[in-house]
């Protein structure tokens, strides 16, 4: 049976449609669908079945026919709330950066002190990387953008660790100015602690989506045939995803990002 054309869509469907429309208007046609995020949420709930029952059951109330209308008050573990909150952040930051007629950059910072043994991810507090980058950029007037604390599951040989890192999407300064302000001495553990890459025209919204992804990537380091160090991506094992879920459960949705030189909302 077809829906009558004059019958309004339910509020939650209109809300989800408005999110995708706002992203499409900015050149992002393949943002993850609500259905795919709902499947990720269901998988996460299965990982924690029987654990901390009250806490995880509260997240389970997010169903495909409902969505949190105040996602900034959600626990960061909730992938449905994150989908809504993150999409709003991407749109707002995209528009603020576009107001500045200068090139934008993706900055990635990896410090050895942000590396934690498995089982100790809770020791990584997002406020620590946030304070680091705020302090480094305080003398660069006019810089604006967003910084986001991300984590990867890194394996080298028989050793696996959680490696915290900071993604920042910034404008208002040159590449050379950003490199100078964020300079960190390399070492054997982190041979490239700071990377600054230009964002091509039309790629800003995609880079913002990548920089603010909620779940971790798994990476295995190896020596390639040319003798150089390389890496390949893997799925993070479920038992370690559970630790990442619990890390996010300990914070609210906005805690992983830091606005720099601007306000939104």
């Amino acid at each position: 049976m077809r829906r009558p054309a004059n019958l309004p869509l339910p509020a939650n469907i209109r809300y989800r449609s408005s999110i995708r429309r706002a992203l499409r208007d900015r050149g992002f046609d393949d943002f993850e669908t609500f259905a795919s995020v709902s499947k990720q949420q269901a998988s996460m709930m299965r990982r924690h079945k029987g654990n901390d029952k009250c806490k995880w059951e509260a997240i389970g109330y997010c169903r495909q026919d409902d969505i949190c209308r105040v996602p900034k008050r959600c626990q960061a573990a909730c992938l449905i709330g994150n989908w809504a909150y993150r999409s709003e952040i991407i749109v707002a930051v995209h528009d603020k950066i576009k107001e500045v007629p200068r090139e934008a950059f993706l900055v990635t910072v990896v410090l050895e002190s942000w590396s934690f043994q498995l089982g100790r991810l809770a020791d990584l507090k997002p406020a620590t990387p946030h304070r680091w980058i705020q302090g480094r950029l305080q003398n660069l007037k006019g810089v604006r953008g967003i910084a986001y604390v991300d984590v990867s599951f890194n394996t080298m040989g028989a050793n696996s660790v959680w490696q915290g890192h900071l993604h920042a999407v910034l404008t208002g300064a040159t590449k050379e100015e950003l490199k100078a302000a964020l300079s960190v001495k390399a070492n054997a553990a982190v041979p490239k602690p700071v990377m600054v890459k230009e964002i091509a025209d039309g790629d800003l919204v995609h880079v913002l989506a990548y920089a603010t992804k909620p779940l971790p990537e798994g990476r295995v380091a190896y020596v390639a045939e040319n003798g150089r160090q390389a890496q390949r991506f893997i799925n993070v094992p479920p038992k370690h995803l559970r630790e990442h879920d619990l890390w996010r459960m300990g914070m609210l949705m906005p805690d992983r990002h830091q606005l720099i030189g601007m306000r939104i909302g």
Side-chain angles (χ1 to χ4, degrees):
M1 181 177 177
R2 296 187 62 183
R3 183 184 187 86
N6 61 347
L7 187 63
L9 291 170
N12 66 302
I13 296 179
R14 293 200 303 271
Y15 179 58
R16 284 146 47 184
S17 298
S18 69
I19 286 174
R20 296 190 64 80
R21 183 166 58 252
L23 290 164
R24 280 198 302 269
D25 289 346
R26 289 156 181 82
F28 198 176
D29 295 323
D30 53 355
F31 190 61
E32 54 259 41
T33 65
F34 185 76
S36 68
V37 174
S38 295
K39 289 180 180 179
Q40 289 180 327
Q41 182 97 319
S43 178
M44 180 182 72
M45 297 303 295
R46 288 193 293 272
R47 287 197 294 271
H48 295 275
K49 188 176 181 180
N51 295 335
D52 223 350
K53 189 173 181 181
C54 292
K55 184 182 291 187
W56 290 99
E57 278 187 350
I59 285 186
Y61 292 139
C62 292
R63 305 179 304 273
Q64 289 199 14
D65 60 346
D66 193 12
I67 193 166
C68 177
R69 296 311 303 269
V70 193
K72 67 176 65 176
R73 297 180 187 172
C74 289
Q75 299 299 126
C78 179
L79 297 173
I80 291 178
N82 180 276
W83 180 83
Y85 181 70
R86 178 167 158 249
S87 61
E88 293 174 357
I89 288 290
I90 290 170
V91 168
V93 173
H94 172 276
D95 293 353
K96 284 287 187 179
I97 288 178
K98 281 294 188 180
E99 291 175 358
V100 180
R102 299 186 65 172
E103 193 170 17
F105 300 93
L106 171 63
V107 175
T108 301
V109 181
V110 182
L111 299 188
E112 188 176 5
S113 60
W114 299 345
S115 177
F116 296 87
Q117 294 299 314
L118 302 183
R120 300 299 301 271
L121 181 56
D123 293 341
L124 174 58
K125 310 298 182 184
T128 301
H130 290 163
R131 285 194 298 268
W132 185 89
I133 195 167
Q134 286 278 33
R136 289 302 189 96
L137 294 178
Q138 63 182 345
N139 294 324
L140 283 183
K141 306 303 180 184
V143 172
R144 67 167 59 177
I146 187 172
Y148 186 84
V149 178
D150 197 4
V151 180
S152 57
F153 178 82
N154 289 9
T155 298
M156 178 177 288
N159 186 44
S160 295
V161 299
W162 290 113
Q163 178 61 62
H165 51 277
L166 195 71
H167 289 308
V169 180
L170 302 170
T171 190
T174 66
K175 185 175 184 178
E176 291 70 26
E177 288 172 333
L178 289 173
K179 282 187 171 182
L182 302 173
S183 177
V184 175
K185 187 176 181 179
N187 57 38
V190 185
K192 291 184 178 180
V194 180
M195 291 179 284
V196 182
K197 297 181 180 180
E198 298 89 349
I199 298 176
D201 289 343
D203 283 351
L204 177 59
V205 69
H206 297 85
V207 172
L208 284 166
Y210 169 77
T212 58
K213 62 187 184 299
L215 296 177
E217 292 178 330
R219 302 172 183 176
V220 175
Y222 65 96
V223 178
E225 292 181 357
N226 60 8
R228 295 182 179 180
Q229 191 176 71
Q231 66 179 11
R232 59 184 175 86
F233 292 92
I234 62 169
N235 293 325
V236 179
K239 67 178 181 179
H240 300 306
L241 276 178
R242 282 196 294 271
E243 184 182 1
H244 194 275
D245 296 337
L246 290 168
W247 179 63
R248 301 192 324 275
M249 179 63 85
M251 62 186 87
L252 295 177
M253 206 66 71
D255 290 354
R256 292 174 71 181
H257 85 258
Q258 175 74 48
L259 295 177
I260 297 170
M262 64 181 183
R263 294 181 180 179
I264 59 176

